Structures are given as structure tokens and as C-alpha cells.
Amino acid sequence: MGIGPGSALIIGIVALLIFGPKKLPELGKAMGSTLREFKNATKGLADDDDTKKVSESTKTEDK
């Protein structure tokens, strides 16, 4: 269940009416950079979890 083309069109028209044509590109750019930053932060957390799992498994193997 996702957003269909009709729903996306309605959301786009409403956004255009609320923010105006000059502000929409700025909002899109800000949202893109925010999502990129969030993705990098969560990737760092996942990498930390993987490192902890590896170090924990080596500790149990050493015993």
C-alpha cells in the first residue's frame, strides 16, 4: 500500500499552494540534505553494532 500517482499529484498541488513555487526547490534541497545526514548517522550506528558483535564473539571464542 503506497502513494499512487493521483495521491502524489494532489500532495504536490497542495504543497505548491502552501509554499509557493519559489520556496519548493529550497525545501526539497533541505529535505534531501537532512535525509542524507540521517542516513549517514544511522549507518554509523549500524557499523558500531557490527563492531560490537564481532568483538563480543571474539571474546567468547577466546575463553
Side-chain angles (χ1 to χ4, degrees):
M1 185 172 158
I3 296 176
S7 298
L9 181 65
I10 291 172
I11 290 171
I13 291 171
V14 170
L16 186 63
L17 290 173
I18 292 173
F19 297 112
K22 292 183 181 179
K23 195 72 170 173
L24 277 181
E26 295 173 18
L27 290 172
K29 184 177 178 182
M31 182 167 291
S33 63
T34 301
L35 289 174
R36 191 176 316 112
E37 186 176 327
F38 180 75
K39 181 180 174 184
N40 290 338
T42 55
K43 181 180 178 187
L45 291 175
D47 290 344
D48 289 346
D49 288 344
D50 291 342
T51 305
K52 287 179 184 178
K53 288 179 183 178
V54 170
S55 65
E56 288 175 0
S57 66
T58 57
K59 285 181 184 177
T60 56
E61 289 175 1
D62 291 340
K63 290 183 180 180

